[in-house]
Amino acid sequence: MHSLPNSFLVAFSFTVLVDGSHYWSSPRHRTVAHRQLSGETYMIQDFYQGEDFFKDVPPIYDWTFDVGSDPTHGNVIYQSQSDAQSKGLAYINDSNNSLILAVDSTSTVAPGGQRASVRITSQKSYNGGLFIFDASYMPVGCSTWPSFWTVGPQWPMAGEIDIVEGVNNQDTNQMALHTGTNQTCTNEMTNGTQQFTGQIKKTNCYSTGHADSGCIIEDTDTSSFAYGFNNAEGGVFALLWDNSAGMSIWHFARANIPADLIAQTPRPSTWGIPAGFWSSQTCDITANFYDHQMVIDTTICGHWAGGGSYAQSGCPGTCSDMVANATNYINSKWVINYVAVYQYHIGSGAYAPSPRLPLMIILSLVIYLLLL
């Protein structure tokens, strides 16, 4: 057996420090220490609240404000952080540290024109975990299209997960997966039983630029979206992305949020049947979903909220005409309490590593082999 060269030991020690460090932080974002609590299975990896969403210490950016036109052809222009803040479209409520992201409701815009809005994207990417989105209010009204979702690079190859989404006067939340590989992904029932409370609307997750509906499950709870959500003082959406089991999405109205989630010691196995579930038996999760960033946005009209969906919604006139009605967007705002990402821990609290080897481990092995 060869003894390990000192250079390899140094490199390996550095690898352990980087991959297993217990605490690191930036002025605007907390990555919480891995705490060992009795019976705890999931621990916080990242927690975003209040000023954490605003990046004013470059080059550290936890969330960035996307700028320009909407890729779904919505009638909006997304604003930079400075422009959104100066226009009152992105700010922190000092009384409860919540984040407000709004659509412009004061400017004069021609029918079919473009209103200022906000879209933010997390800069860290993920390959699994428990994602928690807590909001007390979401955008409502004709022509609106709010969403909280995750997406990988080179859409749709790395997939998309729609956790919260809907348009116009939709009553309940619509959840969906989108894939682009040749690896089959559907949301058909397995074992002859339905393992979720929602209703299947579409079963094939494969998406293209011309057919991008994905595999859809619609929640049956009217407190999961729009006016029903807001009347219940909002609530929590939880995505459990488990590469071995599948994708599960829960919604909890404010009064029904599990105590373990409030205590930041979540145990999804005790939460009951999810609203949506996509089994790994009918979808290769690892092949279809990877390197996802989180996105929060509100567009208006576009290829879903506009057109036929608008005509069938009961909303007056046309979507293009509605864009010109500034007062329609007074209630088009997110009030976000926090976003958190938890990771699964095994046994006594050892972190379950990603299947992708850390770069430093790979480099350390290369150095070792070269020095043999």
Side-chain angles (χ1 to χ4, degrees), residues 32-98:
V32 182
H34 297 322
R35 300 166 297 158
Q36 182 178 339
L37 299 177
S38 176
E40 187 174 28
T41 304
Y42 288 86
M43 294 183 181
I44 291 177
Q45 176 185 8
D46 297 302
F47 187 90
Y48 305 94
Q49 185 178 50
E51 292 288 342
D52 296 333
F53 292 96
F54 293 152
K55 285 67 53 186
D56 56 8
V57 187
I60 301 173
Y61 296 104
D62 295 322
W63 292 74
T64 57
F65 283 64
D66 300 333
V67 179
S69 59
D70 175 34
T72 64
H73 308 292
N75 291 83
V76 297
I77 290 291
Y78 292 124
Q79 305 293 295
S80 67
Q81 179 181 323
S82 59
D83 286 344
Q85 289 179 293
S86 67
K87 295 176 181 178
L89 305 182
Y91 60 94
I92 305 302
N93 182 337
D94 292 333
S95 66
N96 59 14
N97 205 30
S98 62

Side-chain angles (χ1 to χ4, degrees), residues 1-202:
M1 185 176 85
H2 297 281
S3 60
L4 297 181
N6 290 336
S7 57
F8 175 78
L9 293 174
V10 171
F12 182 75
S13 300
F14 180 68
T15 299
V16 172
L17 176 62
V18 171
D19 194 49
S21 58
H22 289 273
Y23 181 83
W24 65 100
S25 66
S26 72
R28 296 301 185 193
H29 169 228
R30 297 183 300 281
T31 300
V32 182
H34 297 322
R35 300 166 297 158
Q36 182 178 339
L37 299 177
S38 176
E40 187 174 28
T41 304
Y42 288 86
M43 294 183 181
I44 291 177
Q45 176 185 8
D46 297 302
F47 187 90
Y48 305 94
Q49 185 178 50
E51 292 288 342
D52 296 333
F53 292 96
F54 293 152
K55 285 67 53 186
D56 56 8
V57 187
I60 301 173
Y61 296 104
D62 295 322
W63 292 74
T64 57
F65 283 64
D66 300 333
V67 179
S69 59
D70 175 34
T72 64
H73 308 292
N75 291 83
V76 297
I77 290 291
Y78 292 124
Q79 305 293 295
S80 67
Q81 179 181 323
S82 59
D83 286 344
Q85 289 179 293
S86 67
K87 295 176 181 178
L89 305 182
Y91 60 94
I92 305 302
N93 182 337
D94 292 333
S95 66
N96 59 14
N97 205 30
S98 62
L99 169 71
I100 288 79
L101 302 176
V103 176
D104 170 37
S105 61
T106 60
S107 300
T108 300
V109 176
Q114 294 175 311
R115 284 198 170 274
S117 188
V118 178
R119 168 171 161 157
I120 62 173
T121 301
S122 71
Q123 290 309 284
K124 180 176 281 190
S125 61
Y126 303 88
N127 289 287
L130 177 62
F131 299 78
I132 306 298
F133 181 73
D134 186 317
S136 56
Y137 197 91
M138 71 166 57
V140 293
C142 293
S143 81
T144 59
W145 179 357
S147 56
F148 169 63
W149 48 297
T150 71
V151 64
Q154 298 181 334
W155 187 95
M157 297 305 295
E160 174 183 331
I161 308 168
D162 298 327
I163 304 164
V164 186
E165 189 173 32
V167 297
N168 299 313
N169 288 327
Q170 189 170 309
D171 290 329
T172 58
N173 183 39
Q174 179 172 298
M175 304 156 283
L177 302 187
H178 301 264
T179 62
T181 72
N182 59 4
Q183 302 296 317
T184 300
C185 186
T186 68
N187 62 344
E188 298 170 10
M189 291 184 293
T190 58
N191 301 323
T193 60
Q194 185 161 313
Q195 299 166 293
F196 47 90
T197 62
Q199 297 179 340
I200 294 177
K201 295 299 181 180
K202 291 184 180 294

Side-chain angles (χ1 to χ4, degrees), residues 81-345:
Q81 179 181 323
S82 59
D83 286 344
Q85 289 179 293
S86 67
K87 295 176 181 178
L89 305 182
Y91 60 94
I92 305 302
N93 182 337
D94 292 333
S95 66
N96 59 14
N97 205 30
S98 62
L99 169 71
I100 288 79
L101 302 176
V103 176
D104 170 37
S105 61
T106 60
S107 300
T108 300
V109 176
Q114 294 175 311
R115 284 198 170 274
S117 188
V118 178
R119 168 171 161 157
I120 62 173
T121 301
S122 71
Q123 290 309 284
K124 180 176 281 190
S125 61
Y126 303 88
N127 289 287
L130 177 62
F131 299 78
I132 306 298
F133 181 73
D134 186 317
S136 56
Y137 197 91
M138 71 166 57
V140 293
C142 293
S143 81
T144 59
W145 179 357
S147 56
F148 169 63
W149 48 297
T150 71
V151 64
Q154 298 181 334
W155 187 95
M157 297 305 295
E160 174 183 331
I161 308 168
D162 298 327
I163 304 164
V164 186
E165 189 173 32
V167 297
N168 299 313
N169 288 327
Q170 189 170 309
D171 290 329
T172 58
N173 183 39
Q174 179 172 298
M175 304 156 283
L177 302 187
H178 301 264
T179 62
T181 72
N182 59 4
Q183 302 296 317
T184 300
C185 186
T186 68
N187 62 344
E188 298 170 10
M189 291 184 293
T190 58
N191 301 323
T193 60
Q194 185 161 313
Q195 299 166 293
F196 47 90
T197 62
Q199 297 179 340
I200 294 177
K201 295 299 181 180
K202 291 184 180 294
T203 60
N204 190 353
C205 305
Y206 185 76
S207 301
T208 68
H210 302 289
D212 64 349
S213 60
C215 48
I216 299 170
I217 298 176
E218 188 171 300
D219 204 325
T220 57
D221 183 354
T222 56
S223 70
S224 66
F225 198 74
Y227 295 101
F229 179 84
N230 294 342
N231 290 339
E233 299 182 350
V236 164
F237 295 91
L239 162 69
L240 177 56
W241 172 352
D242 185 331
N243 288 309
S244 62
M247 302 283 192
S248 303
I249 297 178
W250 289 264
H251 159 256
F252 302 106
R254 181 67 53 197
N256 300 322
I257 299 174
D260 57 282
L261 185 52
I262 294 173
Q264 297 186 350
T265 58
R267 297 177 179 85
S269 63
T270 68
W271 292 350
I273 300 173
F277 176 67
W278 295 259
S279 173
S280 60
Q281 295 182 36
T282 59
C283 180
D284 188 331
I285 302 298
T286 304
N288 285 293
F289 302 94
Y290 53 88
D291 296 342
H292 274 215
Q293 295 170 280
M294 296 180 286
V295 183
I296 306 169
D297 68 69
T298 306
T299 188
I300 55 180
C301 297
H303 69 233
W304 185 20
S309 294
Y310 187 89
Q312 298 169 16
S313 68
C315 291
T318 67
C319 203
S320 292
D321 291 338
M322 187 58 70
V323 174
N325 182 1
T327 60
N328 179 64
Y329 301 102
I330 291 175
N331 296 316
S332 296
K333 62 182 178 181
W334 285 106
V335 180
I336 300 166
N337 296 319
Y338 71 87
V339 175
V341 181
Y342 292 77
Q343 293 296 340
Y344 178 66
H345 284 62

